[in-house]
Amino acid sequence: NDLQISKKYAAEKAVRDREFKGNMIVGIGSGSTVVYVTKCIAETITKINKEAENDGRKSDLNVICIPSSFQAKQLILENNLNLGSLELFPLVDWTIDGADEVDQQNNIIKGGGGCHTQEKILASFSKELYIVGDYTKYSPKLGTSWKKGIPIEVIPVSYVAVKKKIQCCLGGEVLLRMAVMKAGPVITDNSNFIVDWRFPEGIDNWKDIETTIKMIPGVVEVGLFINMAVKVYIGTENDVKLYDY
Ligand code: DER
């Protein structure tokens, strides 16, 4: 359907805009759009190596992929890519990741897939972060299209206290994210809970909000990526719109 096609187009454009040469450390985000990103990276590497072989020369391309989640690790392995780790490669050339919502000021909500903590770590230690998404992801201001709130990873024992603190200081409603295929709350790759903050109307000082929430003891990471993306690729059913920040 055209949603999947738009994801595929955005993913492929973001990958094809990158130079593939020599030794590269590449960050792999999480979610459904990144499935297309990982496949396209693998296809690009195969193509370059094949061209070198046909020219009778040895390819010098060596791509190592750093995952942002168990899902990303699976994608790297399923696509027969070289799996690395941030411990071994603490500085990443570029990362491509998805998003839940992007606004015109480069404020991004991430964490719909429950992986924003390692995604933000990986993004922060990457020289460049590229975001890819389908046409539902870009909106005039946060909250227009994404209605599930800001994901916040919390240390399990603190979730009620954090919920009350955010509700009383910032308003809105905070809900513990419950699992669907398992009884009880969602447990993250880092063995924590996630609460989603359905924020009130009229918030626009997102950098301050990010800092305020991050400073509450018990909060591990908040799914706000403010001014972190270099470029955002938004797919439509027959094209890709590029937002350059
Ligand atoms: O959790 C995230 O931030 C993921 O990147 C995810 O929400 C992206 O959404 P997608 O599945 O539509 O690519």
Short mmCIF file of all heavy atoms in Angstrom, two decimals, residues 167-219:
data_model
loop_
_atom_site.label_atom_id
_atom_site.label_comp_id
_atom_site.label_asym_id
_atom_site.label_seq_id
_atom_site.Cartn_x
_atom_site.Cartn_y
_atom_site.Cartn_z
N GLN A 167 2.68 15.14 35.63
CA GLN A 167 1.30 15.64 35.56
C GLN A 167 1.13 16.92 36.36
O GLN A 167 0.48 17.88 35.93
CB GLN A 167 0.32 14.55 36.01
CG GLN A 167 0.18 13.44 34.97
CD GLN A 167 -0.70 12.27 35.42
OE1 GLN A 167 -1.07 11.42 34.64
NE2 GLN A 167 -1.00 12.21 36.71
N CYS A 168 1.77 16.98 37.53
CA CYS A 168 1.52 18.19 38.35
C CYS A 168 2.37 19.36 37.86
O CYS A 168 1.94 20.51 37.88
CB CYS A 168 1.72 17.90 39.83
SG CYS A 168 3.36 18.26 40.44
N CYS A 169 3.59 19.07 37.36
CA CYS A 169 4.46 20.19 36.93
C CYS A 169 4.16 20.65 35.50
O CYS A 169 4.23 21.85 35.20
CB CYS A 169 5.92 19.79 37.01
SG CYS A 169 6.46 19.43 38.66
N LEU A 170 3.83 19.71 34.63
CA LEU A 170 3.71 20.07 33.21
C LEU A 170 2.30 19.89 32.66
O LEU A 170 2.03 20.29 31.53
CB LEU A 170 4.70 19.22 32.38
CG LEU A 170 6.19 19.38 32.74
CD1 LEU A 170 7.03 18.38 31.95
CD2 LEU A 170 6.66 20.80 32.46
N GLY A 171 1.41 19.28 33.46
CA GLY A 171 0.04 19.09 32.98
C GLY A 171 -0.09 17.86 32.10
O GLY A 171 0.85 17.08 31.92
N GLY A 172 -1.24 17.74 31.50
CA GLY A 172 -1.50 16.59 30.63
C GLY A 172 -1.68 15.32 31.44
O GLY A 172 -1.93 15.34 32.65
N GLU A 173 -1.48 14.18 30.75
CA GLU A 173 -1.70 12.87 31.41
C GLU A 173 -0.56 11.93 31.04
O GLU A 173 -0.09 11.93 29.90
CB GLU A 173 -3.04 12.29 30.92
CG GLU A 173 -3.45 11.03 31.70
CD GLU A 173 -4.73 10.40 31.15
OE1 GLU A 173 -5.10 10.70 29.99
OE2 GLU A 173 -5.34 9.61 31.89
N VAL A 174 -0.10 11.18 32.01
CA VAL A 174 1.00 10.22 31.80
C VAL A 174 0.44 8.80 31.98
O VAL A 174 -0.20 8.52 33.00
CB VAL A 174 2.15 10.46 32.79
CG1 VAL A 174 3.25 9.40 32.63
CG2 VAL A 174 2.73 11.86 32.61
N LEU A 175 0.69 7.95 30.97
CA LEU A 175 0.14 6.58 31.03
C LEU A 175 1.26 5.55 30.92
O LEU A 175 2.15 5.69 30.07
CB LEU A 175 -0.83 6.37 29.86
CG LEU A 175 -2.09 7.25 29.86
CD1 LEU A 175 -2.84 7.08 28.55
CD2 LEU A 175 -2.97 6.93 31.05
N LEU A 176 1.22 4.55 31.76
CA LEU A 176 2.18 3.44 31.67
C LEU A 176 1.87 2.65 30.40
O LEU A 176 0.71 2.31 30.15
CB LEU A 176 2.04 2.53 32.90
CG LEU A 176 2.95 1.29 32.95
CD1 LEU A 176 4.43 1.71 33.01
CD2 LEU A 176 2.59 0.41 34.15
N ARG A 177 2.89 2.39 29.58
CA ARG A 177 2.68 1.65 28.33
C ARG A 177 2.55 0.16 28.61
O ARG A 177 3.48 -0.47 29.11
CB ARG A 177 3.82 1.91 27.33
CG ARG A 177 3.51 1.37 25.95
CD ARG A 177 4.64 1.58 24.96
NE ARG A 177 4.90 2.98 24.67
CZ ARG A 177 5.76 3.38 23.73
NH1 ARG A 177 6.45 2.49 23.03
NH2 ARG A 177 5.96 4.67 23.51
N MET A 178 1.37 -0.38 28.33
CA MET A 178 1.11 -1.79 28.59
C MET A 178 1.41 -2.61 27.34
O MET A 178 1.19 -2.16 26.21
CB MET A 178 -0.36 -1.98 29.01
CG MET A 178 -0.74 -1.19 30.27
SD MET A 178 0.41 -1.47 31.63
CE MET A 178 -0.13 -3.11 32.15
N ALA A 179 1.92 -3.82 27.56
CA ALA A 179 2.27 -4.71 26.44
C ALA A 179 1.00 -5.30 25.84
O ALA A 179 -0.05 -5.36 26.49
CB ALA A 179 3.18 -5.83 26.95
N VAL A 180 1.10 -5.72 24.58
CA VAL A 180 -0.04 -6.36 23.90
C VAL A 180 0.17 -7.88 23.89
O VAL A 180 -0.71 -8.63 24.27
CB VAL A 180 -0.16 -5.82 22.45
CG1 VAL A 180 -1.26 -6.56 21.69
CG2 VAL A 180 -0.42 -4.33 22.48
N MET A 181 1.39 -8.32 23.55
CA MET A 181 1.65 -9.76 23.43
C MET A 181 2.22 -10.35 24.72
O MET A 181 2.86 -11.38 24.73
CB MET A 181 2.66 -10.01 22.29
CG MET A 181 2.30 -9.32 21.00
SD MET A 181 0.81 -10.02 20.28
CE MET A 181 1.52 -11.43 19.46
N LYS A 182 2.01 -9.63 25.81
CA LYS A 182 2.53 -10.09 27.11
C LYS A 182 1.69 -9.39 28.17
O LYS A 182 1.31 -8.23 27.98
CB LYS A 182 4.00 -9.66 27.25
CG LYS A 182 4.61 -9.83 28.64
CD LYS A 182 5.91 -9.01 28.76
CE LYS A 182 6.32 -8.89 30.21
NZ LYS A 182 5.38 -8.02 30.98
N ALA A 183 1.39 -10.12 29.26
CA ALA A 183 0.65 -9.47 30.34
C ALA A 183 1.56 -8.44 31.01
O ALA A 183 2.78 -8.64 31.08
CB ALA A 183 0.25 -10.54 31.37
N GLY A 184 0.98 -7.35 31.42
CA GLY A 184 1.75 -6.34 32.15
C GLY A 184 2.37 -5.29 31.25
O GLY A 184 2.08 -5.25 30.05
N PRO A 185 3.27 -4.44 31.81
CA PRO A 185 3.81 -3.30 31.06
C PRO A 185 4.83 -3.73 30.01
O PRO A 185 5.40 -4.83 30.09
CB PRO A 185 4.47 -2.44 32.12
CG PRO A 185 4.47 -3.19 33.39
CD PRO A 185 3.70 -4.44 33.22
N VAL A 186 5.05 -2.90 29.02
CA VAL A 186 6.15 -3.09 28.06
C VAL A 186 7.46 -3.02 28.86
O VAL A 186 7.62 -2.17 29.73
CB VAL A 186 6.11 -1.97 26.99
CG1 VAL A 186 7.43 -1.89 26.23
CG2 VAL A 186 4.93 -2.18 26.05
N ILE A 187 8.37 -3.94 28.56
CA ILE A 187 9.70 -3.93 29.17
C ILE A 187 10.68 -3.60 28.03
O ILE A 187 10.68 -4.28 27.00
CB ILE A 187 10.07 -5.31 29.76
CG1 ILE A 187 9.00 -5.79 30.75
CG2 ILE A 187 11.45 -5.26 30.42
CD1 ILE A 187 8.97 -5.05 32.07
N THR A 188 11.49 -2.56 28.21
CA THR A 188 12.37 -2.13 27.11
C THR A 188 13.60 -3.05 26.99
O THR A 188 13.85 -3.89 27.85
CB THR A 188 12.89 -0.70 27.36
OG1 THR A 188 13.79 -0.75 28.50
CG2 THR A 188 11.76 0.27 27.64
N ASP A 189 14.40 -2.81 25.94
CA ASP A 189 15.64 -3.56 25.75
C ASP A 189 16.60 -3.34 26.92
O ASP A 189 17.57 -4.07 27.07
CB ASP A 189 16.33 -3.12 24.44
CG ASP A 189 15.53 -3.51 23.20
OD1 ASP A 189 14.50 -4.20 23.36
OD2 ASP A 189 15.90 -3.09 22.09
N ASN A 190 16.33 -2.32 27.70
CA ASN A 190 17.20 -1.98 28.86
C ASN A 190 16.54 -2.39 30.18
O ASN A 190 16.95 -1.94 31.24
CB ASN A 190 17.47 -0.46 28.85
CG ASN A 190 17.77 0.05 27.46
OD1 ASN A 190 18.70 -0.43 26.81
ND2 ASN A 190 16.93 0.95 26.95
N SER A 191 15.47 -3.22 30.06
CA SER A 191 14.74 -3.74 31.24
C SER A 191 14.04 -2.65 32.05
O SER A 191 13.97 -2.75 33.29
CB SER A 191 15.71 -4.52 32.16
OG SER A 191 16.37 -5.52 31.40
N ASN A 192 13.55 -1.63 31.36
CA ASN A 192 12.81 -0.55 32.03
C ASN A 192 11.36 -0.48 31.55
O ASN A 192 10.97 -1.20 30.64
CB ASN A 192 13.52 0.79 31.77
CG ASN A 192 14.88 0.85 32.45
OD1 ASN A 192 15.03 0.46 33.61
ND2 ASN A 192 15.87 1.31 31.71
N PHE A 193 10.58 0.41 32.18
CA PHE A 193 9.20 0.69 31.73
C PHE A 193 9.22 1.90 30.81
O PHE A 193 10.18 2.64 30.74
CB PHE A 193 8.30 1.02 32.94
CG PHE A 193 7.94 -0.14 33.83
CD1 PHE A 193 7.25 0.09 35.01
CD2 PHE A 193 8.28 -1.46 33.50
CE1 PHE A 193 6.89 -0.97 35.86
CE2 PHE A 193 7.93 -2.52 34.33
CZ PHE A 193 7.24 -2.27 35.52
N ILE A 194 8.08 2.08 30.11
CA ILE A 194 7.88 3.30 29.32
C ILE A 194 6.56 3.92 29.76
O ILE A 194 5.55 3.24 29.92
CB ILE A 194 7.84 3.00 27.81
CG1 ILE A 194 9.24 2.60 27.33
CG2 ILE A 194 7.34 4.23 27.03
CD1 ILE A 194 9.38 2.42 25.84
N VAL A 195 6.59 5.23 29.99
CA VAL A 195 5.33 5.97 30.19
C VAL A 195 5.20 6.93 29.02
O VAL A 195 6.21 7.41 28.47
CB VAL A 195 5.30 6.74 31.53
CG1 VAL A 195 5.32 5.78 32.71
CG2 VAL A 195 6.42 7.77 31.64
N ASP A 196 3.97 7.17 28.59
CA ASP A 196 3.72 8.10 27.48
C ASP A 196 3.01 9.34 28.02
O ASP A 196 1.96 9.21 28.66
CB ASP A 196 2.87 7.42 26.39
CG ASP A 196 3.63 6.30 25.70
OD1 ASP A 196 4.61 6.60 24.98
OD2 ASP A 196 3.30 5.12 25.93
N TRP A 197 3.60 10.49 27.75
CA TRP A 197 3.04 11.73 28.29
C TRP A 197 2.19 12.41 27.22
O TRP A 197 2.71 12.94 26.25
CB TRP A 197 4.17 12.69 28.72
CG TRP A 197 3.69 14.06 29.14
CD1 TRP A 197 2.61 14.35 29.95
CD2 TRP A 197 4.27 15.32 28.77
NE1 TRP A 197 2.49 15.71 30.10
CE2 TRP A 197 3.49 16.33 29.41
CE3 TRP A 197 5.37 15.69 27.98
CZ2 TRP A 197 3.79 17.69 29.26
CZ3 TRP A 197 5.67 17.03 27.84
CH2 TRP A 197 4.87 18.02 28.49
N ARG A 198 0.87 12.37 27.43
CA ARG A 198 -0.03 13.08 26.54
C ARG A 198 -0.06 14.53 26.98
O ARG A 198 -0.73 14.90 27.94
CB ARG A 198 -1.42 12.43 26.56
CG ARG A 198 -1.44 11.11 25.79
CD ARG A 198 -2.66 10.31 26.07
NE ARG A 198 -2.79 9.14 25.22
CZ ARG A 198 -2.00 8.07 25.23
NH1 ARG A 198 -0.93 8.05 26.01
NH2 ARG A 198 -2.20 7.02 24.46
N PHE A 199 0.77 15.33 26.30
CA PHE A 199 1.01 16.71 26.76
C PHE A 199 -0.16 17.62 26.40
O PHE A 199 -0.90 17.36 25.46
CB PHE A 199 2.31 17.24 26.14
CG PHE A 199 2.40 17.10 24.64
CD1 PHE A 199 1.97 18.12 23.79
CD2 PHE A 199 2.91 15.94 24.07
CE1 PHE A 199 2.05 17.99 22.42
CE2 PHE A 199 3.00 15.80 22.69
CZ PHE A 199 2.57 16.82 21.86
N PRO A 200 -0.31 18.73 27.18
CA PRO A 200 -1.41 19.67 26.93
C PRO A 200 -1.11 20.54 25.71
O PRO A 200 0.02 20.59 25.23
CB PRO A 200 -1.46 20.52 28.20
CG PRO A 200 -0.10 20.43 28.78
CD PRO A 200 0.46 19.08 28.37
N GLU A 201 -2.15 21.22 25.23
CA GLU A 201 -2.03 22.15 24.10
C GLU A 201 -1.05 23.27 24.43
O GLU A 201 -0.84 23.59 25.61
CB GLU A 201 -3.42 22.79 23.84
CG GLU A 201 -4.36 21.94 23.01
CD GLU A 201 -3.82 21.68 21.61
OE1 GLU A 201 -3.32 22.63 20.96
OE2 GLU A 201 -3.82 20.50 21.19
N GLY A 202 -0.45 23.81 23.37
CA GLY A 202 0.25 25.09 23.55
C GLY A 202 1.70 24.99 23.97
O GLY A 202 2.36 25.99 24.23
N ILE A 203 2.25 23.76 24.02
CA ILE A 203 3.67 23.65 24.38
C ILE A 203 4.52 23.85 23.13
O ILE A 203 4.23 23.26 22.08
CB ILE A 203 3.94 22.26 25.02
CG1 ILE A 203 3.26 22.20 26.39
CG2 ILE A 203 5.44 22.01 25.12
CD1 ILE A 203 3.56 20.96 27.20
N ASP A 204 5.55 24.71 23.23
CA ASP A 204 6.46 24.80 22.08
C ASP A 204 7.92 24.94 22.50
O ASP A 204 8.80 24.88 21.65
CB ASP A 204 6.04 25.97 21.17
CG ASP A 204 6.04 27.30 21.93
OD1 ASP A 204 6.52 27.30 23.10
OD2 ASP A 204 5.59 28.30 21.37
N ASN A 205 8.20 25.07 23.80
CA ASN A 205 9.60 25.18 24.26
C ASN A 205 10.16 23.78 24.51
O ASN A 205 10.52 23.40 25.64
CB ASN A 205 9.66 26.03 25.53
CG ASN A 205 8.77 25.46 26.64
OD1 ASN A 205 7.74 24.84 26.36
ND2 ASN A 205 9.17 25.61 27.89
N TRP A 206 10.23 23.00 23.41
CA TRP A 206 10.54 21.57 23.56
C TRP A 206 11.92 21.29 24.14
O TRP A 206 12.11 20.30 24.85
CB TRP A 206 10.35 20.86 22.20
CG TRP A 206 8.90 20.77 21.83
CD1 TRP A 206 8.26 21.45 20.83
CD2 TRP A 206 7.91 19.98 22.50
NE1 TRP A 206 6.92 21.11 20.83
CE2 TRP A 206 6.68 20.22 21.84
CE3 TRP A 206 7.93 19.09 23.58
CZ2 TRP A 206 5.49 19.59 22.22
CZ3 TRP A 206 6.75 18.48 23.96
CH2 TRP A 206 5.55 18.73 23.28
N LYS A 207 12.90 22.14 23.87
CA LYS A 207 14.24 21.88 24.43
C LYS A 207 14.19 21.99 25.96
O LYS A 207 14.74 21.14 26.66
CB LYS A 207 15.26 22.90 23.86
CG LYS A 207 16.72 22.53 24.12
CD LYS A 207 17.11 21.23 23.43
CE LYS A 207 18.40 20.63 23.98
NZ LYS A 207 18.58 19.22 23.54
N ASP A 208 13.47 22.99 26.46
CA ASP A 208 13.33 23.14 27.93
C ASP A 208 12.57 21.95 28.50
O ASP A 208 12.92 21.41 29.56
CB ASP A 208 12.56 24.43 28.27
CG ASP A 208 13.31 25.68 27.82
OD1 ASP A 208 14.55 25.58 27.67
OD2 ASP A 208 12.65 26.71 27.59
N ILE A 209 11.51 21.55 27.78
CA ILE A 209 10.69 20.42 28.24
C ILE A 209 11.57 19.16 28.34
O ILE A 209 11.54 18.42 29.33
CB ILE A 209 9.52 20.17 27.27
CG1 ILE A 209 8.52 21.34 27.30
CG2 ILE A 209 8.84 18.84 27.59
CD1 ILE A 209 7.64 21.42 28.52
N GLU A 210 12.38 18.95 27.31
CA GLU A 210 13.25 17.76 27.29
C GLU A 210 14.15 17.76 28.52
O GLU A 210 14.27 16.76 29.23
CB GLU A 210 14.10 17.75 26.01
CG GLU A 210 15.07 16.57 25.94
CD GLU A 210 16.18 16.76 24.89
OE1 GLU A 210 16.37 17.89 24.39
OE2 GLU A 210 16.86 15.76 24.60
N THR A 211 14.78 18.91 28.80
CA THR A 211 15.70 19.00 29.95
C THR A 211 14.95 18.80 31.27
O THR A 211 15.39 18.05 32.14
CB THR A 211 16.38 20.40 29.95
OG1 THR A 211 16.98 20.60 28.67
CG2 THR A 211 17.42 20.49 31.05
N THR A 212 13.79 19.45 31.40
CA THR A 212 13.02 19.33 32.65
C THR A 212 12.66 17.87 32.94
O THR A 212 12.86 17.38 34.05
CB THR A 212 11.73 20.17 32.53
OG1 THR A 212 12.09 21.53 32.26
CG2 THR A 212 10.90 20.09 33.79
N ILE A 213 12.17 17.19 31.91
CA ILE A 213 11.76 15.79 32.11
C ILE A 213 12.98 14.91 32.38
O ILE A 213 12.99 14.09 33.31
CB ILE A 213 10.98 15.26 30.88
CG1 ILE A 213 9.64 16.01 30.76
CG2 ILE A 213 10.73 13.75 31.00
CD1 ILE A 213 8.86 15.65 29.50
N LYS A 214 14.06 15.17 31.64
CA LYS A 214 15.27 14.33 31.77
C LYS A 214 15.85 14.44 33.18
O LYS A 214 16.44 13.50 33.71
CB LYS A 214 16.30 14.77 30.72
CG LYS A 214 17.55 13.92 30.60
CD LYS A 214 17.37 12.64 29.80
CE LYS A 214 18.59 11.75 29.91
NZ LYS A 214 19.62 12.02 28.90
N MET A 215 15.66 15.60 33.82
CA MET A 215 16.26 15.83 35.15
C MET A 215 15.47 15.19 36.28
O MET A 215 15.92 15.20 37.43
CB MET A 215 16.39 17.34 35.41
CG MET A 215 17.44 18.04 34.56
SD MET A 215 19.02 17.19 34.73
CE MET A 215 19.45 17.71 36.38
N ILE A 216 14.29 14.66 35.98
CA ILE A 216 13.50 14.03 37.06
C ILE A 216 14.14 12.67 37.39
O ILE A 216 14.24 11.81 36.52
CB ILE A 216 12.03 13.81 36.62
CG1 ILE A 216 11.38 15.14 36.25
CG2 ILE A 216 11.24 13.12 37.75
CD1 ILE A 216 10.00 14.98 35.60
N PRO A 217 14.60 12.45 38.63
CA PRO A 217 15.19 11.16 38.99
C PRO A 217 14.23 10.01 38.67
O PRO A 217 13.04 10.10 38.97
CB PRO A 217 15.43 11.29 40.50
CG PRO A 217 15.59 12.77 40.71
CD PRO A 217 14.61 13.40 39.74
N GLY A 218 14.76 8.98 38.02
CA GLY A 218 13.92 7.86 37.59
C GLY A 218 13.71 7.87 36.09
O GLY A 218 13.47 6.83 35.47
N VAL A 219 13.82 9.04 35.49
CA VAL A 219 13.72 9.12 34.03
C VAL A 219 15.06 8.71 33.42
O VAL A 219 16.11 9.23 33.80
CB VAL A 219 13.35 10.55 33.57
CG1 VAL A 219 13.47 10.69 32.04
CG2 VAL A 219 11.92 10.89 34.01
#
